[in-house]
């Protein structure tokens, strides 16, 4: 039994994937770099600047640090504008019931997200109240697949990594969980990743697993 469960945010508790896609696509279009949904999948779970590097790599393009900062900020401005349309309705009852039940069973739960906008998203969707801790892009220096975001999340809960499971939809996130010594649980895209310790289709399956 795991005492702590650390949830990735985007792609696990809700999805803002279309908003990331639209914002990154507008930047890629401006740069003349072909960018579709297949390319967008490469960015899942990856930090903002690392995502931009991937897009520039696809276009074999090199830019200065200053130009990269400008583009990353422009993308974020567009993404944050899209985020304003989020409401609590985007979170399913299944997600809310599962979080409530885990709490009732005495588990500690945290968010472990690469996003610097995680707390804004949690507030807009009324999810913040379910969590004992939030570890996100604002308290890390290394992006997934580095385990830092989950190691910090476990520390915020006062637990060791081997006492926690991580629920992730991204390959980079499963790699991060494994590297940090966590039990890794894949959902969505990561449910077909062979390195995930366990795989689920629906979040409520967690209640039978840990
Ligand atoms: P931001 P997660 C990740 O969130 C997204 O999956 C990824 O696509 C995004 O680039 C990253 O957050 C950084 O987001 O630009 O808002 O800081 O899946 O780790 O919850
Ligand atoms: Mg994710």
């Amino acid at each position: 039994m795991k005492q702590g469960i650390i949830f990735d945010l985007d792609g696990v508790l809700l999805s803002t994937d279309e908003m990331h896609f639209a914002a990154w696509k507008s930047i890629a279009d401006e740069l003349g770099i072909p960018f579709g949904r297949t390319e967008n999948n490469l960015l899942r779970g990856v930090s903002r600047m690392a995502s931009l590097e991937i897009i520039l790599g696809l276009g074999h393009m090199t830019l200065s640090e200053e130009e990269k900062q400008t583009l990353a900020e422009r993308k974020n401005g567009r993404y944050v504008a899209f985020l304003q349309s989020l409401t609590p309705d985007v979170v399913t009852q299944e997600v809310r019931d599962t979080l409530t039940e885990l709490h009732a069973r005495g588990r500690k739960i945290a968010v472990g997200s690469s996003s610097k906008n995680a707390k804004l998203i949690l507030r807009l969707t009324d999810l913040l109240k379910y969590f004992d801790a939030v570890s996100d892009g604002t308290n890390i220096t290394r992006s997934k697949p580095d385990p830092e975001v989950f190691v910090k999340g476990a520390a915020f809960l006062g637990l060791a990594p081997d006492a926690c499971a991580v629920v992730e939809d991204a390959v980079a996130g499963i790699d991060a969980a494994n590297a940090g010594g966590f039990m890794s649980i894949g959902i969505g895209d990561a449910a077909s990743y062979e390195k995930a310790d366990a795989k689920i289709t629906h979040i409520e399956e967690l209640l039978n697993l840990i």
Side-chain angles (χ1 to χ4, degrees):
M1 186 193 101
K2 298 292 177 188
Q3 287 171 269
I5 301 105
I6 304 178
F7 290 88
D8 172 55
L9 177 58
D10 210 19
V12 173
L13 299 174
L14 50 80
S15 176
T16 69
D17 205 48
E18 283 301 308
M19 300 180 190
H20 277 299
F21 176 59
W24 278 130
K25 180 150 179 56
S26 69
I27 300 292
D29 286 351
E30 284 166 21
L31 295 170
I33 299 174
F35 186 77
R37 282 169 203 285
T38 315
E39 289 76 19
N40 188 56
N41 285 345
L42 300 171
L43 314 183
R44 201 157 285 156
V46 174
S47 74
R48 195 178 309 161
M49 198 42 93
S51 297
L52 178 59
E53 297 284 4
I54 291 171
I55 293 171
L56 293 175
L58 292 170
H60 309 287
M61 195 176 266
T62 325
L63 295 177
S64 70
E65 275 315 308
E66 206 184 328
E67 288 168 320
K68 286 193 275 191
Q69 280 300 338
T70 306
L71 287 177
E73 278 164 31
R74 192 181 301 161
K75 181 269 172 178
N76 192 53
R78 290 172 188 172
Y79 173 65
V80 169
F82 292 140
L83 286 181
Q84 305 310 315
S85 69
L86 286 179
T87 64
D89 296 345
V90 303
V91 180
T92 64
Q93 195 58 43
E94 182 194 342
V95 165
R96 292 186 190 277
D97 290 347
T98 304
L99 296 173
T100 302
E101 179 59 21
L102 288 170
H103 242 233
R105 294 185 189 182
R107 307 301 167 81
K108 289 190 170 176
I109 55 178
V111 168
S113 167
S114 299
S115 177
K116 290 185 171 152
N117 296 300
K119 291 193 188 79
L120 171 65
I121 296 169
L122 291 167
R123 268 198 307 275
L124 287 167
T125 57
D126 197 26
L127 270 178
L128 210 45
K129 62 187 179 194
Y130 297 95
F131 293 94
D132 300 299
V134 176
S135 175
D136 63 20
T138 63
N139 60 254
I140 55 169
T141 55
R142 297 181 300 278
S143 175
K144 300 168 189 175
D146 188 285
E148 185 181 10
V149 72
F150 299 134
V151 171
K152 292 249 167 76
F156 293 161
L157 293 177
L159 296 172
D162 66 1
C164 300
V166 165
V167 187
E168 256 290 351
D169 71 310
V171 164
I174 295 292
D175 286 342
N178 290 342
F182 297 86
M183 176 189 185
S184 58
I185 302 174
I187 191 168
D189 262 16
S192 52
Y193 186 37
E194 69 281 2
K195 290 189 183 162
D197 293 323
K199 293 156 188 176
I200 57 174
T201 309
H202 300 285
I203 205 121
E204 65 189 3
E205 291 167 46
L206 273 179
L207 299 173
N208 305 322
L209 198 68
I210 46 180

